[in-house]
Amino acid sequence: MRALLKLMSLEIRKHKLTGLIKGVLIANLIILGFMVLVLFVDQNEQVSTFTSFGDVFEGLFVFVKAVFIIFASALLGRLIIEEYRSNTISLLFMYPIPRKKLLTAKLIIVFLFTFCTIIISDLMLGALLYGINHFLQIIPDQLTLTLVQDELVKLGTGALYAAGIGLIPLYFGMRKKSISATIISSVVLVTLISGGFDQSRLGNFAAVSISLGLIGIAIAYLSIRKIETDDIA
């Protein structure tokens, strides 16, 4: 475990992944701006896109999940696909480090990045939207402890599924060693599971989210198993 953590630390420094924090903050500002805009439109047009805090948190999670699944695909491209494209992965495999352990470290970074950014972003933006509504009084609802507890459970499980879903684009990217294919597949996937705000949205069905999350983990597992025999040339 210590060796794996060391590999993860080296990968983060090698690819300068701390620079992603800026991108995460920009993405959060865009999401917050869009959500505030919707609230202002509701106030001015006297319509009700969000009629409760449950609706607000649901809409927020849809955007956060979609954004960071796409982020995950970009990270997969940066950590894995690009190294196969440029053949620098062959140099890494010359080091006395098991291939499986190296790929495992990369995939864990992507998984944890997706999970943590979804959790942190959703909590931060949810708190900001609650504060904004406190002054605007747009949402005719009270935030209760029961609702907060329910939303935290949904957020934790949803972020876990989303982190697994974020690994699915690896399959498409590895087939052609294409970063574009990796990102495009994530956009298509996000569109399928996150389209619309109503309850019929595909991502609202627990069976779908769990299945897709498990598919993503299975793809990661099979990729790790195959790496010892794959031709990297």
Side-chain angles (χ1 to χ4, degrees), residues 53-54 56-58 60-61 115-116 118-127 143-161:
F53 279 112
V56 173
F57 296 146
E58 174 70 17
L60 176 62
F61 181 71
F115 178 78
C116 292
I118 288 176
I119 292 285
I120 294 171
S121 297
D122 205 87
L123 289 174
M124 180 178 66
L125 295 177
L143 188 61
T144 64
L145 180 60
T146 300
L147 177 61
V148 171
Q149 291 173 337
D150 290 344
E151 290 298 325
L152 287 175
V153 172
K154 288 168 59 178
L155 173 59
T157 55
L160 192 63
Y161 303 149

Side-chain angles (χ1 to χ4, degrees), residues 151-190:
E151 290 298 325
L152 287 175
V153 172
K154 288 168 59 178
L155 173 59
T157 55
L160 192 63
Y161 303 149
I165 294 171
L167 298 175
I168 292 177
L170 177 66
Y171 171 78
F172 300 96
M174 288 295 287
R175 290 193 66 181
K176 295 186 177 181
K177 305 297 187 291
S178 169
I179 294 177
S180 297
T182 310
I183 296 175
I184 290 172
S185 64
S186 73
V187 173
V188 172
L189 186 60
V190 162

